Amino acid sequence: MLIKFFIKPRKGVLDPQGRAVAESLKSLGFNDVKDVKVGKYIEVYIEDKEKDKALEEAKEMAKKALVNDLIEDYEIEVVEVR
Amino acid sequence: MLIKFFIKPRKGVLDPQGRAVAESLKSLGFNDVKDVKVGKYIEVYIEDKEKDKALEEAKEMAKKALVNDLIEDYEIEVVEVR
């Protein structure tokens, strides 16, 4: 089973990486770039289990280890891997 | 318009971050963790345009600036923001 975490800086929190990427894209000619957010994409492979159990476990992982709740927002996707 | 980039280490490429996260999750009691991949989640907001044009532009951004084609794989999602 695969749990996907999409973690990004919370709105209003300074995102120097995002700003740097935006500047470099514009310097490469991508002039229609308005804003960039840079965050973490984490894939966690776990033993198979019921989806809602996996979701609960994912939230615990986010809270305890993967997400800084003061400055980051996140989304989770649970995917059954065949 | 929002372009989402999901970038991760290519299979077989050393992923020290992923290994470190896997160890820390196990030390926190998440014993069913089998593997972890840590990559980048990037959101790029651009002027509205046709979806296929945005997709072409996104591929160019990935190639020119956002993805290291030697060691990373990526997926793109184009989202119309209301």
Side-chain angles (χ1 to χ4, degrees), chain B residues 8-56:
Chain B
K8 65 179 183 182
R10 181 160 298 153
K11 207 175 181 105
V13 170
L14 208 61
D15 179 9
Q17 263 193 313
R19 198 167 296 176
V21 170
E23 290 317 313
S24 85
L25 287 173
K26 284 176 193 164
S27 70
L28 287 166
F30 298 104
N31 301 318
D32 60 350
V33 170
K34 298 197 295 187
D35 190 20
V36 175
K37 295 261 170 233
V38 174
K40 289 173 284 191
Y41 170 54
I42 300 177
E43 291 186 346
V44 178
Y45 293 83
I46 60 169
E47 307 290 348
D48 283 347
K49 64 186 65 179
E50 277 163 51
K51 239 181 173 179
D52 52 2
K53 286 233 171 56
L55 193 56
E56 277 322 303

Side-chain angles (χ1 to χ4, degrees), chain A residues 1 4-8 17 21 24-25 28 30-49 57-58 60-61 64-66 75, chain B residues 1 4-8 17 21 24-25 28 30-49 57-58 60-61 64-66 75:
Chain A
M1 199 162 228
K4 295 183 175 182
F5 295 85
F6 310 98
I7 305 163
K8 65 179 183 181
Q17 262 193 313
V21 169
S24 85
L25 287 173
L28 289 165
F30 297 104
N31 301 320
D32 61 349
V33 169
K34 298 198 293 188
D35 191 20
V36 174
K37 295 263 173 232
V38 174
K40 289 174 281 187
Y41 170 52
I42 300 177
E43 291 186 345
V44 178
Y45 293 83
I46 60 169
E47 307 291 349
D48 283 346
K49 63 186 65 179
E57 186 174 345
E60 278 299 298
M61 288 178 180
K64 287 182 179 169
L66 304 181
E75 287 168 44
Chain B
M1 200 160 227
K4 294 183 176 182
F5 295 85
F6 311 98
I7 305 164
K8 65 179 183 182
Q17 263 193 313
V21 170
S24 85
L25 287 173
L28 287 166
F30 298 104
N31 301 318
D32 60 350
V33 170
K34 298 197 295 187
D35 190 20
V36 175
K37 295 261 170 233
V38 174
K40 289 173 284 191
Y41 170 54
I42 300 177
E43 291 186 346
V44 178
Y45 293 83
I46 60 169
E47 307 290 348
D48 283 347
K49 64 186 65 179
E57 186 174 343
E60 279 298 298
M61 288 179 180
K64 287 183 178 169
L66 303 180
E75 288 168 45

Side-chain angles (χ1 to χ4, degrees), chain A residues 6-21:
Chain A
F6 310 98
I7 305 163
K8 65 179 183 181
R10 182 160 298 155
K11 209 177 180 104
V13 170
L14 207 60
D15 179 9
Q17 262 193 313
R19 197 168 295 178
V21 169

